[in-house]
Amino acid sequence: MTTDDSILLRGVRVHNLKGIDLDVPLDKLIVVTGVSGSGKSSLAFDTLYAEGQRRYIESLSSYARQFLERMDKPDADLIDGIPPAIAIQQRGAAKNPRSTVATVTEIFDFLRVLYARIGIVHCLGCGRPVARDTIDGMITELLREAAGTRAWITFARPRDAGLAPLRKDGFTRALVAGDIVDIEAVPKAVRALDVLVDRIALGVDDRERLADSLELGLKKGEGRVVVRTEDGREYRFSEKLECRSCRLPAEDPYPNLFSFNTPHGACPECHGFGDLAVIDEDKVVPDRSKTLDQGAVEPWTKPLSRGMQKELLTEARRRRIPTNVPFRDLRPEHQRFVFDGGDGYYGVKGFFDWLQSKKYKVQVRVLLSRYRTYVACPACAKTRLNPRALSVRVKGLNIGEVVRMTVAEASAFFEGLELEPFQRQVAEKLVQEIRGRLRFLMEVGLDYIALDRMTFTLSGGEAQRISLAAALSASLVGTLFVLDEPSIGLHPRDNHRLVRILRSLKDIGNTVLVVEHDPDIVRAAEHVIDMGPRAG
Ligand SMILES: [Zn+2]
Ligand SMILES: [Zn+2]
């Protein structure tokens, strides 16, 4: 046997391994099995993975090496033929507290680019779709009129801009209340002239002429042109991205608009966190059977805030708010007065606002946290994105609505997404990447997981299977993948899918080594290393 097709291990003495010799075939699906304490992990992680990782790091420049954790050389006489290694473990999958299933699988990155490229912007004023008009689109729309319909093509020009330049360019007539008049004859009261470009019979005069006139109108009308039919219908076209009905300008989306951790995309209310910190009134008045006299407002029962309690009682008596009646029996407006203040009194809210300004003191932060609770941000409905980002839709859904879907729902959404011919060139590859990643997540049995699920809330098995799906999507080859009981937490009926995933990881040109007890997985292995009690 040569080192070309096997990893050679001789005299390995890592942890409880007592000088074992072993040949591990490359490019195979291998299962390491054995009772607990037999040295499965010592072999898989502390020897094979550790050495593969160590050699990989050694191969990097000294500059790159300083950023990576150095690994100790495993204790052995010989380790040969080992490829670069990646461990897919249960623990330590999520380091970033803000990462979600969509971000760690890169689905979110592809989504952002997809939304920037083919998303349809909607008007922030009226919610209607906003799009640029193209000459082709304008002609298509106009030719829906009955053939022979007479129409005037005009552009708007403020009278203040003067008439001489118009004359110089050969524009001599304008449209006033449906009549064509000389521009000199337009009544002074009309501040904006509808300057006539052409008079045309739709569908009769040739398309070329219509296109030229529309183009000229756009050029002279600073990107806008108006077409009126003789029976009073009006078409307002614009080559700017702006709402046709409210004229509100819009901007083309770009990938960073959809990042909640940049100022471009973050919701201004919650700064991209999705939640808002508010004062929890149930914590401020934890016992509603207490009267104001008895200290219903809990934070003001502390010795340091005796002054606030006294002020509350004075202000309440002045307004004939009973201080000897249980808080829950006070009239709603009196309860609100205690919380919100008003009429010269600061109330509980004013007190906490004041504390907020003293947040640099540790004890104040502790006090604030005791009465704080988090509510879903009402501005962005937990999507963390600002209204501009949420105004961009693909197939009717904004990006926040897509990441709220489960893997199975998102998969159905993208499988059913049909691209227009003009979108294919810019979006087909992106959609394929997204579909592929969703398919891998389905394959590893995570169809029920929402894409916006925070990764730190995943179980160890779920996190590991997400890493597995990510490794598959990355299409790495020539690598040793080491996995730790990937079947844990997986329903037995999904074991065959896991096996299929492990096989495809191997089939693209990797060695896959799995520490596993599950008989289904052991049976699927091409090579079994049994660490049984005697082997260790
Ligand atoms: Zn609008
Ligand atoms: Zn928000």
Side-chain angles (χ1 to χ4, degrees), residues 340-482:
D340 302 337
D343 186 20
Y345 176 58
Y346 50 83
V348 168
K349 186 179 175 300
F351 169 70
F352 278 102
D353 286 348
W354 171 77
L355 277 184
Q356 202 71 28
S357 70
K358 301 265 176 288
K359 229 167 55 176
Y360 54 88
K361 294 183 180 171
V362 175
Q363 62 270 44
V364 169
R365 280 205 295 277
V366 172
L367 186 68
L368 278 170
S369 68
R370 198 176 300 154
Y371 298 103
R372 193 164 43 207
T373 187
Y374 290 92
V375 293
C377 172
C380 64
K382 276 187 101 74
T383 62
R384 310 162 176 222
L385 291 167
N386 64 30
R388 258 192 71 206
L390 295 176
S391 76
V392 183
R393 295 173 181 273
V394 169
K395 212 172 127 188
L397 297 185
N398 66 42
I399 197 168
E401 288 163 332
V402 170
V403 295
R404 206 173 289 157
M405 291 183 184
T406 63
V407 167
E409 289 163 349
S411 189
F413 177 78
F414 283 103
E415 294 297 338
L417 180 67
E418 278 173 35
L419 296 173
E420 304 284 336
F422 69 93
Q423 297 175 323
R424 281 205 193 115
Q425 212 175 348
V426 294
E428 188 132 63
K429 184 96 186 21
L430 296 168
V431 173
Q432 278 167 5
E433 292 284 354
I434 294 169
R435 282 180 186 155
R437 279 163 170 75
L438 289 168
R439 229 173 280 142
F440 288 136
L441 288 169
M442 300 272 283
E443 288 279 313
V444 293
L446 295 174
D447 47 311
Y448 59 92
I449 285 210
L451 291 177
D452 65 355
R453 174 92 171 264
M454 307 297 289
T455 44
F456 72 82
T457 68
L458 296 169
S459 75
E462 287 169 340
Q464 189 191 30
R465 293 204 297 283
I466 283 177
S467 310
L468 188 56
L472 268 167
S473 321
S475 307
L476 285 174
V477 296
T479 303
L480 168 67
F481 284 93
V482 185

Side-chain angles (χ1 to χ4, degrees), residues 123 126 243 246:
C123 175
C126 68
C243 178
C246 34

Side-chain angles (χ1 to χ4, degrees), residues 123-128 130 243-248:
C123 175
L124 288 177
C126 68
R128 289 193 180 90
V130 178
C243 178
R244 272 202 207 184
S245 22
C246 34
R247 288 281 171 230
L248 217 59

